[in-house]
């Protein structure tokens, strides 16, 4: 018998697949090739159940979603005190690629904007670029339970056209915010953004965070437990670009989005959501992704500050069958 949660996701998918709002990112030609109709929703519970509908196996580049997870790896490499001294924890209220730095503390504002993400990638240990990239890819593999590749054309076009990121990196080098190996770090940053994932991977990644850092299907630890809250709290305050405040208010599930149309959202102790839908709103967040997360949050009471009885009980809907709910 089908789980009611599965039917719920099917209905949600059908309700929003026709939404025509938003534009596919085209700042590099490779990204503009994505279909505006692609749409996948995946939910993984902390007890390892997977629910999916739509294009959940279609791969796309992770882009800015990588920032949250690489921040976790930097914390493991150096500890909280050092990482905090290199990159702050304040939202900027500005676009993700804005050229602003916290001059008072000589740091970029947070690890979720490009400047902070480049400074975070700079912290990833390894003897050379290859070893550092391998460590990043292996880290993602622990979250998702599978091996990951880079989309080389996307990487090369990010690198070719990434003058703004390069300018920001050199500005940070000028202020001694990042180390001298800036060319290697920029390559690494463009490579991490160009890593291929699907909606299932994004759900598994956030389910792993929701599960205290252990992948709920493989049982493999992806990040030390003590750093899980660092990653999730900055996703809440800074993860949805300059729409993070509105997201926290309306959806209340810490999340991170990327320009290829992915969103990963963490309901701690409960589940992870992964969405793929390329059309973006003016702030760079997936338009269908926002709708879907908002509805799931509302219907199952997943807003982190919700105390009211939700419309549907999550556990019953995930584990029950239609008959038990009187369908
Ligand atoms: N690679 C992109 C950049 O650095 C990532 C942007 C994003 O997903 N917001 O511009």
């Amino acid at each position: 018998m089908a789980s009611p949660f599965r039917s719920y996701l099917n209905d949600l998918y059908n309700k929003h697949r026709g939404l025509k709002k938003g534009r596919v990112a085209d700042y590099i030609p490779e990204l503009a090739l994505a279909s505006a109709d692609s749409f996948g929703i995946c939910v993984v519970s902390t007890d390892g159940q997977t629910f999916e509908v739509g294009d959940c196996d279609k791969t796309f580049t992770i882009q800015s979603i990588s920032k949250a997870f690489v921040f976790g790896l930097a914390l493991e490499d150096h500890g909280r005190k050092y990482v905090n001294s290199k990159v702050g924890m304040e939202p900027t209220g500005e676009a993700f690629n804005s050229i602003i730095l916290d001059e008072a503390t000589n740091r970029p504002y947070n690890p979720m904007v490009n400047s902070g993400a480049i400074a975070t990638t700079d912290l990833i240990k390894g003897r050379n670029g290859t070893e550092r990239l391998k460590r990043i890819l292996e880290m993602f593999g622990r979250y998702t339970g599978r091996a990951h590749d880079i989309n080389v054309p996307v990487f090369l076009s990010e690198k070719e056209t990434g003058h703004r990121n390069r300018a920001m990196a050199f500005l940070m080098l000028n202020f001694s915010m990042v180390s001298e190996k800036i060319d290697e770090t920029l390559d690494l940053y463009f490579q991490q953004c160009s890593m291929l994932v699907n909606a299932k991977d994004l759900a598994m990644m956030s389910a792993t965070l929701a599960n205290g850092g252990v992948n709920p299907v493989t049982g493999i630890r992806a990040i030390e437990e003590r750093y899980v809250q660092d990653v999730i709290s900055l996703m809440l305050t800074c993860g949805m670009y300059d729409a993070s405040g509105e997201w926290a208010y309306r959806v209340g599930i810490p999340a991170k989005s990327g320009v290829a149309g992915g969103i990963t959202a963490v309901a701690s102790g409960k589940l992870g959501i992964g969405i793929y839908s390329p059309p973006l709103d003016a702030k760079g967040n997936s338009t269908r992704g926002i709708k879907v997360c908002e509805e799931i949050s509302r219907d199952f009471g997943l807003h982190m500050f919700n105390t009211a009885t939700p419309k549907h009980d999550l556990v019953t809907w995930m584990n029950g069958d239609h008959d038990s709910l009187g369908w």
Side-chain angles (χ1 to χ4, degrees):
M1 234 163 293
S3 127
F5 191 69
R6 233 171 267 285
S7 314
Y8 169 86
L9 287 188
N10 278 329
D11 291 348
L12 201 58
Y13 173 84
N14 287 325
K15 181 172 171 191
H16 294 297
R17 68 193 297 188
L19 185 74
K20 291 286 178 236
K21 266 173 52 190
R23 282 190 51 205
V24 176
D26 57 3
Y27 71 96
I28 55 171
E30 281 299 321
L31 288 182
L33 298 176
S35 160
D37 293 328
S38 292
F39 185 25
I41 310 171
C42 182
V43 174
V44 175
S45 62
T46 48
D47 61 5
Q49 300 185 72
T50 300
F51 305 86
E52 56 180 292
V53 53
D55 302 316
C56 286
D57 291 313
K58 207 171 231 182
T59 56
F60 52 93
T61 52
I62 187 167
Q63 297 294 344
S64 280
I65 298 169
S66 65
K67 294 168 176 170
F69 298 87
V70 172
F71 174 58
L73 186 59
L75 286 162
E76 290 190 307
D77 276 358
H78 298 276
R80 192 174 282 140
K81 201 166 162 213
Y82 185 72
V83 174
N84 288 168
S85 77
K86 289 296 190 184
V87 53
M89 54 208 75
E90 288 305 331
T92 60
E94 303 279 342
F96 63 89
N97 60 358
S98 68
I99 305 183
I100 51 164
L101 298 165
D102 185 353
E103 286 173 41
T105 60
N106 204 50
R107 300 175 295 184
Y109 277 92
N110 69 69
M112 307 294 171
V113 290
N114 288 7
S115 53
I118 294 166
T120 304
T121 299
D122 178 49
L123 299 175
I124 299 306
K125 285 186 178 167
R127 272 170 305 170
N128 49 44
T130 311
E131 194 177 298
R132 294 166 79 203
L133 174 62
K134 229 177 126 215
R135 290 193 65 236
I136 290 180
L137 294 178
E138 280 168 4
M139 179 263 302
F140 280 110
R142 289 195 295 277
Y143 277 99
T144 64
R146 70 181 192 97
H148 289 277
D149 297 317
I150 301 290
N151 179 324
V152 176
V154 172
F155 160 58
L156 291 175
S157 15
E158 293 272 354
K159 184 176 159 123
E160 262 160 43
T161 60
H163 308 304
R164 194 179 173 100
N165 284 326
R166 210 166 296 121
M168 206 131 56
F170 279 93
L171 194 59
M172 290 194 289
L173 179 60
N174 174 67
F175 292 126
S176 305
M177 293 179 185
V178 291
S179 72
E180 297 280 341
K181 55 177 189 300
I182 197 64
D183 289 322
E184 183 182 301
T185 293
L186 276 164
D187 271 357
L188 198 55
Y189 170 73
F190 295 135
Q191 284 158 349
Q192 79 180 51
C193 288
S194 308
M195 194 190 86
L196 287 165
V197 287
N198 57 34
K200 239 189 277 180
D201 295 327
L202 294 183
M204 203 63 80
M205 284 157 61
S206 44
T208 297
L209 289 174
N211 194 39
V214 174
N215 178 307
V217 173
T218 64
I220 289 174
R221 177 164 287 287
I223 175 173
E224 286 176 48
E225 188 164 29
R226 61 187 163 147
Y227 295 128
V228 169
Q229 75 174 39
D230 298 55
V231 174
I232 301 177
S233 55
L234 289 196
M235 284 167 85
L236 176 72
T237 54
C238 314
M240 300 300 281
Y241 310 125
D242 42 333
S244 298
E246 186 173 345
W247 178 274
Y249 177 79
R250 286 189 195 281
V251 184
I253 306 176
K256 184 76 204 83
S257 63
V259 286
I263 295 181
T264 190
V266 188
S268 282
K270 297 191 176 92
L271 53 81
I273 304 172
I275 313 270
Y276 175 49
S277 172
L280 309 176
D281 67 9
K283 297 199 168 172
N285 296 315
S286 165
T287 48
R288 289 191 195 104
I290 294 172
K291 289 273 178 232
V292 166
C293 289
E294 205 174 330
E295 279 194 40
I296 296 178
S297 175
R298 190 193 57 213
D299 291 343
F300 293 93
L302 295 177
H303 191 296
M304 58 192 297
F305 301 121
N306 174 65
T307 53
T309 307
K311 187 167 159 199
H312 308 310
D313 178 66
L314 182 70
V315 176
T316 316
W317 276 58
M318 280 188 161
N319 300 332
D321 54 50
H322 283 103
D323 295 348
S324 71
L325 292 175
W327 281 36

